[in-house]
Amino acid sequence: MLIRLTGSSSHDGDMTTMDTQEPTLRQGDEGIDGWAEYLQGLLILEGHKTVTINGSFDDTTLDAVRGYQLHNGLLVDGVVGNQTWAALRHGDAQMAGTDGREAGTYVEDTREARWVWDGEVVTHDAAADELKFVAINLGSAELDASTLPNASCRITPPEGAAFDMELAPRNESVSTPTEIGKLFFYVASNVNAIPAGRYKAEARLPAELSGDHSESHFEIPAR
């Protein structure tokens, strides 16, 4: 979901003129979608081990957000807006600002997903002959891979022309739909035949899940 904001701001607690794809989260926020769980998982990955993934922006989450903002030179206001999301998702730096909604009013009411980060979401599994791109369910319902469209990926080799690959959805547990706030995958098969080298992989989720873009790199070893 892409939201156009207008206005100006000096921090995450007010509006600013920009596009955003993430809802602003504040203390007390909780809901039926997976955004709070996503935030908590990212904070844990950043070393804030006291955080619990419970879907509630509680006091412990607030303390971790403030600590993360302080450590990373962001505005320390405890609000997870454009600037803080961009840092947590390893994306391009953003000016501070929010999604323009009143606190506590955001509700996801559709299928929604993001790549876990803006970059480096792929692993090469040589034994399985696959590339696996990691995504997260942030919508209002479980995601069954059998009902999802493929994602797309542009592969750029160290030399020569770029080429496109289809990425097929896969639940983490093949027989079980992905719960809200949980990880799933998009997978490219038959990749070991690609010549050895370091490649850039620009993956894009289907438009109905968000159209989120991520740039990653992987290496095919010499054989």
Side-chain angles (χ1 to χ4, degrees), residues 46 87 107 122 167 187 193:
E46 293 291 338
V107 177
V122 66
L167 305 179
V187 180

Side-chain angles (χ1 to χ4, degrees), residues 4 21 55 70-71 115 118 132 153 155 171 173 195 218 220:
R4 174 72 69 178
Q21 286 187 308
L70 180 63
H71 181 73
W115 300 120
D118 278 356
K132 293 177 68 175
C153 186
I155 305 292
N171 298 123
S173 173
F218 65 95
I220 300 294

Side-chain angles (χ1 to χ4, degrees), residues 65-80:
V65 168
R66 286 174 171 163
Y68 177 81
Q69 291 171 329
L70 180 63
H71 181 73
N72 289 276
L74 310 177
L75 179 75
V76 184
D77 61 356
V79 175
V80 184

Side-chain angles (χ1 to χ4, degrees), residues 35-90:
W35 284 101
E37 290 96 328
Y38 180 33
L39 168 63
Q40 289 165 334
L42 292 176
L43 289 168
I44 290 171
L45 290 173
E46 293 291 338
H48 298 275
K49 304 302 185 185
T50 59
V51 173
T52 300
I53 300 179
N54 59 16
S56 175
F57 197 133
D58 51 22
D59 291 344
T60 302
T61 303
L62 176 63
D63 289 343
V65 168
R66 286 174 171 163
Y68 177 81
Q69 291 171 329
L70 180 63
H71 181 73
N72 289 276
L74 310 177
L75 179 75
V76 184
D77 61 356
V79 175
V80 184
N82 302 321
Q83 184 184 64
T84 304
W85 273 123
L88 282 166
R89 299 191 74 232
H90 303 172

Side-chain angles (χ1 to χ4, degrees), residues 88-158:
L88 282 166
R89 299 191 74 232
H90 303 172
D92 294 334
Q94 298 275 4
M95 295 293 292
T98 74
D99 62 5
R101 288 184 168 88
E102 299 211 359
T105 63
Y106 182 89
V107 177
E108 189 65 79
D109 59 359
T110 186
R111 298 202 299 188
E112 189 87 359
R114 296 287 187 278
W115 300 120
V116 172
W117 295 289
D118 278 356
E120 308 311 332
V121 296
V122 66
T123 58
H124 173 221
D125 186 338
D129 195 11
E130 293 178 338
L131 296 176
K132 293 177 68 175
F133 295 78
V134 186
I136 184 167
N137 178 11
L138 296 172
S140 57
E142 294 180 339
L143 291 179
D144 183 345
S146 67
T147 70
L148 298 178
N150 288 349
S152 60
C153 186
R154 170 60 60 94
I155 305 292
T156 303

Side-chain angles (χ1 to χ4, degrees), residues 197-214:
R198 181 170 172 80
Y199 291 78
K200 179 171 72 173
E202 299 171 274
R204 187 173 297 279
L205 286 169
E208 70 179 68
L209 293 182
S210 72
D212 195 26
H213 174 269
S214 184

